[in-house]
Amino acid sequence: MSPRILVLFVHPALHRSRANVALAQAIQELPAITFHDLYAAYPRHLIDVDREQALLRAHDVIVWQHPLYWYSCPSLLKEWLDVVLEHGFAYGEHGTALRGKRVLSVLTTGGPAASYQSDGSNRYPLSQLLVPFEQTARLCGMTYLEPFVVHGAGQLDDPQLREIAARYRQHLLDLGNGSRPTPAV
Ligand SMILES: Cc1cc2nc3c(=O)[nH]c(=O)nc-3n(C[C@H](O)[C@H](O)[C@H](O)COP(=O)(O)O)c2cc1C
């Protein structure tokens, strides 16, 4: 059976989003994908843990799609990590529900790629800033794939966004076809 993909879409201000909306529009209707908008589902941040854990069990590839906020994720995704990845479910002696699944971070950043270098204004490569996500996935027995990153999102014009969104769509189609993009580590 083809891998089933769960896209956790996390953006607190959709009316101001260009990049994540463009990316989401390109993949939302793909048949192999469950598109789950966390801010729409939980506007008061009261996450239904049982529902989220059932969704995780039912999928093979988990996508965390969000803008980079303060070198991390918007707060609802942090809350989701805190309450959904419970001991005994995601990790710990009997916490094996996520073993063997794959995780893909899909990120947009305001800063250009060159700023995410030791001599750039953001000083650290994104791979280093994303270590908490990578290690979270790893602790839960999942493979953390090479992130799909859209740098300098605010500077992209509509044709550029359309081209990147088409690449994102193809990337998810490849994952859904069972092609295995290179793990990040
Ligand atoms: C609260 C907040 C924090 C942000 N922090 C960062 C950051 O740490 N690094 C960065 O490159 N961009 C940062 N940005 C810019 C966003 O990442 C950028 O606007 C977003 O990725 C664009 O995608 P969108 O069009 O879907 O909103 C931040 C924006 C906001 C509102």
Side-chain angles (χ1 to χ4, degrees):
M1 201 170 71
S2 298
R4 296 150 300 176
I5 302 176
L6 174 64
V7 177
L8 298 172
F9 178 82
V10 195
H11 198 303
L14 267 194
H15 56 288
R16 287 204 296 267
S17 165
R18 281 180 68 238
N20 280 281
V21 163
L23 293 175
Q25 281 171 351
I27 55 108
Q28 231 160 354
E29 306 301 334
L30 290 175
I33 282 170
T34 303
F35 185 83
H36 186 27
D37 179 340
L38 284 191
Y39 275 96
Y42 306 115
R44 300 175 73 111
H45 290 216
L46 297 171
I47 293 174
D48 180 340
V49 173
D50 290 342
R51 176 189 178 197
E52 296 303 310
Q53 291 183 349
L55 277 169
L56 287 173
R57 285 186 199 278
H59 293 82
D60 309 292
V61 180
I62 315 303
V63 177
W64 292 325
Q65 183 190 331
H66 58 89
L68 192 70
Y69 273 12
W70 291 117
Y71 307 105
S72 184
C73 58
S75 58
L76 186 55
L77 181 54
K78 181 60 169 63
E79 175 71 2
W80 182 95
L81 293 166
D82 291 353
V83 301
V84 177
L85 303 185
E86 282 180 325
H87 183 268
F89 170 77
Y91 70 99
E93 200 184 344
H94 302 292
T96 58
L98 304 180
R99 278 200 196 153
K101 298 182 191 290
R102 289 174 283 163
V103 177
L104 175 69
S105 283
V106 175
L107 293 172
T108 61
T109 74
S115 69
Y116 284 95
Q117 294 175 0
S118 54
D119 59 351
S121 56
N122 290 309
R123 298 189 53 224
Y124 297 96
L126 212 46
S127 57
Q128 210 169 324
L129 297 168
L130 293 176
V131 161
F133 295 91
E134 177 201 323
Q135 179 54 23
T136 297
R138 189 177 274 217
L139 185 82
C140 298
M142 301 190 281
T143 302
Y144 189 70
L145 300 171
E146 185 70 47
F148 185 99
V149 181
V150 180
H151 280 297
Q155 309 305 316
L156 299 170
D157 62 23
D158 287 344
Q160 286 171 317
L161 273 179
R162 272 199 296 276
E163 186 270 322
I164 292 165
R167 275 201 284 119
Y168 178 36
R169 178 187 164 89
Q170 189 56 51
H171 197 65
L172 291 198
L173 283 171
D174 289 346
L175 279 171
N177 286 335
S179 322
R180 290 190 164 253
T182 335
V185 284

